């Protein structure tokens, strides 16, 4: 039996433990961004389906032992991991087709990594210190023994984007379930299958109780708004654009639910004058071409010493020229297609804007020759702009790198920090003390030094400033899904 629906059929919703079509029978088509061909369909949930999913999650949280049975939850998460790993090639094929994700990255964060990471969250469910003894204290003459318990928050609404759907879905489902919550997952309309195929495996091959995990695919963004406002939902965990994140936070305020936001970025690579310029620029080129630049933590500003600007521009342009967009199914491809025609138009709009703002496109800048199908854009390098330009300030979400000159370490830090965002970045330099000063001064949630890679399941990931609130992954990510209860006993 295959995970993908038969030709002409659609994937189901998962509501209250049952795999079901949308109540009104609605479906929507999902496309292959490398070919522009439809690849199949998904259930198109309406508000009534979302209402049923929230009710099921509420019921499962309030009436079962799920939140209290840590060992059972660990077992269920490992079952899910194992069942997905048994079907990994089918999932890989679907991910390449639906997301346009280069096959190379499906061996890491686009698929295999986040599935294996479920084991980390299963271990946390078993090993976490759920209760801490604060000892005895006397307050106004009353002696009390105090304990602090950590408990699940309740019903978690998870809203996710299309760019790394498995990574982001599992970075929410994994810790939320491990912490004892029940979940309603609403994936992005561009990538419903990534969630729906996992839902099918969870329903058919694990003991996860009915209502604990619900998956609601829909073409309608409004279902995300519904999840953000419904008072039966205790926490909304959202990954997406900063603009939508603000709408989620405002909507959640009505019922004062906790919000956890992973938003956009415009991260800088800071190259100091004693750095290995060649490696720094080559890595920056590779980074921005990865998955056609569709990653919130991808570095999109390259800040180099003014005296080395020409040399850095040449090295970077040469490296980008070697990263031409290709078929994502080809194991050598780094830069696949953008997700949709709409996204490509958005990126092309920024390429026009860059020139209107006085920038020069050094390489790339258009659709690759010989590829008349698929939403491909050449990896592009832009020079001649100031950091105050819109091109250097706004998130483009395509393979577009802006190179900017700096006049010393302090100026480089100023440029890196001159952004509404603060998600990620990189620092290159030869002198440890200077590098450490720069690392300490850049206001961003993750940084790689001289090629160091921070991404891993135990590393907290998230943003400063308008890149978000809270941290995903690691113990910090797990604790986002916990409440704190202090209990005092007389002695
Ligand atoms: P988006 O904000 O348009 O959509 C994200 C999700 O929100 C989708 O599921 C969408 O249906 C839903 N949504 C839309 N309107 C909503 C509303 N009013 N209320 C609630 N939910 C709503 O983002 P996108 O275009 O899918 O993804 C790209 C963006 O995501 C980029 O800005 C990128 O930087 C960001 N992103 C951030 C991270 C991170 O961890 N910081 C990771 C990946 C992507």
């Amino acid at each position: 039996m295959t995970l993908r629906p038969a030709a002409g059929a659609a994937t189901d919703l998962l509501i209250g433990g049952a795999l079901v079509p949308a109540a009104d029978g609605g479906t929507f088509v999902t496309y292959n961004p490398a070919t522009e061909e439809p690849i199949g369909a998904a259930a198109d949930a309406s508000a009534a389906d979302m209402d049923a999913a929230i009710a099921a999650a509420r019921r499962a949280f309030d009436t079962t032992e799920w939140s209290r049975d840590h060992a059972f939850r660990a077992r269920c998460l490992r079952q899910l991991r194992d069942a997905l790993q048994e079907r990994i090639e089918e999932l890989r094929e679907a991910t390449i087709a639906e997301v346009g994700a280069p096959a190379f990255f499906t061996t890491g964060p686009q698929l295999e990594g986040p599935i294996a990471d479920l084991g980390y969250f299963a271990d946390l469910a078993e090993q976490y210190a759920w209760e801490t003894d604060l000892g005895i204290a006397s307050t106004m003459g009353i002696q009390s023994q105090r304990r602090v318990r950590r408990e699940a928050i309740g019903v978690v609404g998870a809203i996710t984007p299309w760019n790394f759907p498995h990574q982001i879905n599992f970075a929410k489902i994994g810790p939320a379930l491990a912490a004892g919550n029940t979940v309603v997952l609403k994936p992005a309309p561009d990538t419903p299958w990534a969630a729906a195929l996992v839902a099918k495996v969870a329903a058919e091959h694990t003991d996860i109780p009915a209502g604990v995990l619900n998956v609601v695919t829909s073409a309608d963004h409004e279902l995300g708004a519904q999840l953000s406002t419904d008072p039966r939902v205790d926490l909304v965990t959202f990954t997406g654009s900063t603009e939508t994140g603000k709408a989620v936070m405002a909507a959640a305020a009505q019922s004062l639910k906790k919000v956890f936001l992973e938003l956009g970025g415009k991260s800088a690579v800071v190259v100091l004058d004693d750095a290995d310029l060649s490696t720094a620029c080559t890595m920056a080129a590779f980074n921005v071409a990865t998955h056609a630049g569709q990653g919130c933590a991808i570095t999109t500003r390259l800040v180099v010493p003014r005296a080395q600007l020409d040399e850095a521009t040449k090295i970077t342009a040469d490296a980008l020229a070697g990263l031409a967009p290709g078929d994502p199914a080809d194991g050598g491809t780094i830069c696949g297609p953008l997700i949709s025609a709409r996204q490509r138009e958005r990126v092309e709009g920024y390429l026009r804007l860059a020139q209107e703002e006085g920038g020069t496109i050094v390489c790339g800048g258009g659709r690759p020759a010989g590829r008349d199908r698929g939403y491909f854009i050449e990896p592009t390098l832009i020079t001649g702009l100031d950091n105050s330009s819109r091109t250097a300030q706004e998130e483009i979400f395509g393979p577009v790198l802006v190179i900017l000159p700096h006049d010393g370490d302090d100026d480089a830090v100023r440029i890196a920090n001159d952004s509404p965002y603060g998600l990620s970045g990189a620092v290159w330099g030869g002198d440890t003390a200077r590098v450490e000063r720069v690392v300490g001064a850049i206001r961003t949630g993750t940084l790689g030094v001289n090629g160091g890679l921070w991404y891993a399941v135990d590393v907290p990931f998230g943003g400063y400033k308008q890149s978000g609130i809270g941290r995903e992954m690691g113990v910090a990510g797990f604790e986002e899904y916990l409440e704190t209860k202090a209990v005092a006993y007389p002695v």
Side-chain angles (χ1 to χ4, degrees), residues 242 264 266 392-394 417-422 464-467:
T242 294
K266 190 77 182 183
Q393 286 287 315
E394 296 177 14
N417 284 340
D418 177 18
S419 165
Y421 300 110
Y464 284 33
K465 301 193 272 182
Q466 293 193 30
S467 286

Side-chain angles (χ1 to χ4, degrees), residues 5-27:
T11 52
D12 286 320
L13 311 173
L14 175 58
I15 299 178
L19 292 165
V20 292
D24 64 6
T27 63

Side-chain angles (χ1 to χ4, degrees), residues 135 258 281 285 371 404:
K258 182 175 174 184
C281 293
R371 287 201 177 274
L404 301 158

Side-chain angles (χ1 to χ4, degrees), residues 287-301:
N287 192 278
V288 82
T290 294
H291 190 29
Q294 300 168 108
C296 50
I298 283 175
T299 46
T300 49
R301 293 181 294 150

